[in-house]
Amino acid sequence: MKVVAFLFLASATLLVNSSPIKEDVEAPYQRFIEFTDEEGQTHTIDLEAKPNMELIEEIERIPANNAYYLFTRRNQILSQTLTLNNANSINNSNFNAAVPTIVIVHGWLSSRLTEPNPTVRSAYLNKSDVNVIVVDWSRLAMSDYTTAALGVPAIGRGVGEFLRFLNSVTGAPFENMHLVGFSLGAHVVGNAGRELGGRVARVTGLDPAGPLWNYNTNRLRASDGVYVEAIHTDGGLGGLGIGSAVADADFFPNGGNSQPGCLTSLCNHNRAWELFAATVTYNHLVGQLCTTTLQITWNTCRGQQLRLGNEDLRKTGRGMYRLDTGRRYPY
Ligand SMILES: *[C@@H]1O[C@H](CO)[C@@H](O)[C@H](O)[C@H]1NC(C)=O
Ligand SMILES: *[C@@H]1O[C@H](CO)[C@@H](O)[C@H](O)[C@H]1NC(C)=O
């Protein structure tokens, strides 16, 4: 059964974007993943569900399925819509090429209206004068999980194309951009950074999605930006996060699998953007370098320190870091 499932996934992926899954039939594999959303509704992810190829093809053909909403200190609540290949939409907006640009990308079953967008945006605008661009890819994100996951690279390339256009219209440099994505959105920002040749200053993956991504070459990786960071909060078996190091610096708060004060997988998963937003405000969470994954589990990391998250565009760092946090904001 395990082998059959593996073969199906491998061929489904190959069909769409020729990204072979590593041939490792012994990898832990769980077909169904259940989780309960904010409204208390239980969703089952069937990793063997047949993806909706018509929707994927549409997403690949029409990058304008992505929408971009600008927030600045002059419009913290009401967004301005920026449109690919429409220079007027950018010239007539509050976009300021002289300040950093933060791009926020949501995950599965979400939209621009849902977290992490409101919290991360408000943390940034309270802290500093930046452009916050909230990406909405809900047309695909609202579909079933296998379809959404397969369409992620096309969504990411669309975001990259939009940022290239923004740069061509305003001169806003890639080295002043920070792309932040949650869950499937972490792989979206990875692909966006890759589309731009890894030139954006920072890419941050907030608990990058795990199911269907462990052996997927389209996942977030260290070369997607000048500095790439991942924050892992729900990485256990059957968790929603990938749970293993994928970036330049990978943080494992509280060991990376379960978070204090959380009883559900979704709560662990969401803690990634909650921690990140808190560090934009306070820059207070400090990890210690680990040399092995066992050190992460045993909480015996004693290496050099690196701060988790924060808004520093010139951040550098490498390796795996563990830290312990509190159970309530600001953790
Ligand atoms: C937008 O602004 C740029 C820079 O000021 C200018 O070169 C360009 O012509 C403007 N485009 C439109 C459509 O107004
Ligand atoms: C930003 O400031 C407003 C007003 O002071 C406050 O209500 C909000 O909670 C702050 N947001 C964050 C994320 O700190």
Side-chain angles (χ1 to χ4, degrees), residues 119 122-123 126 281 329:
T119 300
S122 136
N126 283 2
T281 305
Y329 183 85

Side-chain angles (χ1 to χ4, degrees), residues 63 231 253 258 281:
I231 300 170
S258 63
T281 305

Side-chain angles (χ1 to χ4, degrees), residues 163-187:
L163 294 175
R164 191 182 294 120
F165 174 69
L166 184 69
N167 164 268
S168 74
V169 173
T170 67
F174 297 123
E175 71 231 33
N176 265 353
M177 295 183 184
H178 184 174
L179 318 186
V180 180
F182 172 54
S183 195
L184 279 184
H187 301 298

Side-chain angles (χ1 to χ4, degrees), residues 88-292:
N88 276 324
S89 75
I90 294 169
N91 281 5
N92 297 336
S93 77
N94 293 334
F95 184 85
N96 178 1
V99 301
T101 297
I102 315 305
V103 178
I104 304 174
V105 182
H106 62 77
W108 187 47
L109 299 181
S110 300
S111 75
R112 72 191 165 103
L113 299 174
T114 57
E115 298 290 2
N117 301 342
T119 300
V120 173
R121 174 182 104 218
S122 136
Y124 262 104
L125 291 175
N126 283 2
K127 185 72 183 289
S128 47
D129 186 8
V130 293
N131 308 296
V132 174
I133 296 177
V134 169
V135 177
D136 191 301
W137 61 285
S138 53
R139 173 149 173 73
L140 179 67
M142 291 299 182
S143 68
D144 65 281
Y145 186 83
T146 53
T147 304
L150 272 180
V152 154
I155 299 290
R157 286 193 297 273
V159 173
E161 193 181 328
F162 172 79
L163 294 175
R164 191 182 294 120
F165 174 69
L166 184 69
N167 164 268
S168 74
V169 173
T170 67
F174 297 123
E175 71 231 33
N176 265 353
M177 295 183 184
H178 184 174
L179 318 186
V180 180
F182 172 54
S183 195
L184 279 184
H187 301 298
V188 170
V189 292
N191 282 275
R194 202 169 310 170
E195 174 71 18
L196 298 171
R199 285 177 295 162
V200 296
R202 268 184 80 170
V203 177
T204 298
L206 304 173
D207 209 26
L212 300 181
W213 292 97
N214 282 291
Y215 302 108
N216 190 330
T217 55
N218 289 318
R219 75 185 193 190
L220 173 68
R221 58 182 188 228
S223 54
D224 292 338
V226 175
Y227 170 75
V228 179
E229 178 170 314
I231 300 170
H232 303 279
T233 53
D234 187 33
L237 190 61
L240 300 169
I242 197 162
S244 57
V246 295
D248 288 312
D250 287 79
F251 285 87
F252 297 85
N254 307 293
N257 294 342
S258 63
Q259 303 304 317
C262 282
L263 297 172
T264 65
S265 188
L266 188 62
C267 175
N268 294 328
H269 196 43
N270 282 338
R271 189 58 58 84
W273 57 259
E274 293 169 328
L275 292 177
F276 176 74
T279 65
V280 169
T281 305
Y282 298 109
N283 193 18
H284 60 314
L285 298 178
V286 183
Q288 278 192 291
L289 186 66
C290 316
T291 46
T292 65

